[in-house]
Amino acid sequence: MAYGYWRAGRQREPAEFELFFRRCPFQGGFVVGAGLGECLAFLRGFRLRGPDIEYLQSVLPSTTDKAFFDYLRTVDASEVTVSSVPEGSVVFAKVPLLQVKGPLLVVQLLETTLLCLVNYASLVATNAARFRMLAGPDKKLVEFGLRRAQGPDGGLSASKYSYIGGFDCTSNVLAGQLYGIPVCGTVAHSYIMSFTSLEEVQPRTLKPLDSEEPVEFLPLAELWLGRVCQLLQVPCDGVNHGELAAFASYAIAFPHSFQGLLDTYSVMGSGLPNFCAVALALHQLGYRAGGVCVDSGDLGKQSREIRWVLRTCGAAFQVPWFETIPIVASNDISERSLQEIIQEGHEIDVIGVGTNLVTCTLQPSLGCVYKLVTVNGHPTQKLTEDTEKMTIPGSKVCQALPSVHEIKSHAQASLRLFSPAHLRLQEPEPYQVAVTEKLHALLVNMRQSSQ
């Protein structure tokens, strides 16, 4: 197309394209627009360099005029202007996310990259916003999707735009480094399984919070284990001592943020008693445990059982904060499974979502399009028998780009502006984005005259 424009002498004709979507994803009623920052970064650096042009010469027909390749060496986006809703805004079907103006050849060349940068970013941000709306404002949402994402670039994008959509943090440390997103994570089962006995714990001492004199930690943990098992009526000989060793080792390394992964062996028969013993030993030395994690089984039921045990131990051993220890849950959580957990009742404080967030399982593509609306001062329109694919002819803000944290705040503020009826996750009331009666009549007449 670029060569065709150039051959016809049309390469510098002023043109305008609009980037929009025709249907909201996930059978919902809105999209959180995202990707603007990356689009502008791409435009700033857009240029065809020597190796690029040499490659194009090798794949285009040999009859291509050599002067065209000389022209390509001069092409950049310095004459391109972009208008957009602020990144993080709620957008509806057929409303432009981007309006791109500039020389016809250049703005045509930008099409695929702009679509790529906006499609996935907006899809993930919207998916994240739906999880946030479902979970409510008080639950902590953690993005756990890197290992399931579509490659490292997809993983980084998912971390960034999940945060913009409403998640609190990510387990992707590189995303934290690059974008300033808060990072957090949990312990893996492999860490727990790597310990088989208490003899493997090194070091074995921990300084109390208010003293410089180290204390032997394992005897404290074992003492508390006996008391916890007696309280909960759990056989001490059924508790896995390799798991206890793993918990003790982790607590010595991270006394201020110790967390226990409970379901490596048995939540109620081993994991929870071991966690309580180590957490109570930490408490005796002045520390507070950071939380417990489960990533298998019936998450809602287990969270209720875990909370009961924490309350029981807190009351029995006079440790008031024990009953408020955060419970983290993750196990292939989807919109549907989260809805079921909420309906059944739960005690989960932190929800980790991976695969169903970053791969957007319910709809893996947003389907944005990039359509010409004006060329050389004249409105253009796509006329087709498929009325959904007709475009509206004609043209429908320049400021410093906000930070990722500001974009996230704007996204949440934008969502609060709309009626819950428009934001329902299932069967939302469509937000009416319409043309005037006069323009509608003109569009109908134009389509009929073209047939």
Side-chain angles (χ1 to χ4, degrees), residues 45 336 375 441:
R336 181 174 179 178
V375 63

Side-chain angles (χ1 to χ4, degrees), residues 140 183-187 191 206 209 217 246-261 275 278-279 282-283 286-293 321 325-326 328:
K140 189 172 183 179
V183 294
C184 59
T186 59
V187 179
Y191 181 84
L206 178 64
L209 194 58
F217 188 73
F247 286 178
S249 181
Y250 194 84
I252 292 170
F254 297 101
H256 292 281
S257 56
F258 164 64
Q259 56 179 273
L261 178 61
F275 169 81
V278 173
L282 282 173
H283 171 72
Y287 302 98
R288 292 178 62 157
V292 297
C293 317
W321 60 264
I325 288 175
V328 183

Side-chain angles (χ1 to χ4, degrees), residues 25-27 120 123-124 126-128 130-131 145 148-150 158 332-337 353-366:
F26 314 118
Q27 298 183 346
Y120 184 65
L123 186 70
V124 172
T126 305
N127 200 20
R130 290 169 64 88
F131 274 102
R148 304 290 172 80
Q150 286 94 338
D332 202 26
I333 291 176
S334 63
E335 270 191 24
R336 181 174 179 178
S337 66
V353 189
T355 304
N356 290 287
L357 173 63
V358 303
T359 66
C360 299
T361 312
L362 290 178
Q363 183 176 326
S365 174
L366 176 55

Side-chain angles (χ1 to χ4, degrees), residues 38-56:
E38 294 196 38
C39 288
L40 297 183
F42 161 71
L43 292 174
R44 291 189 189 104
F46 178 72
R47 188 177 228 16
L48 293 172
R49 293 169 174 78
D52 306 321
I53 294 172
E54 290 173 9
Y55 175 73
L56 291 174

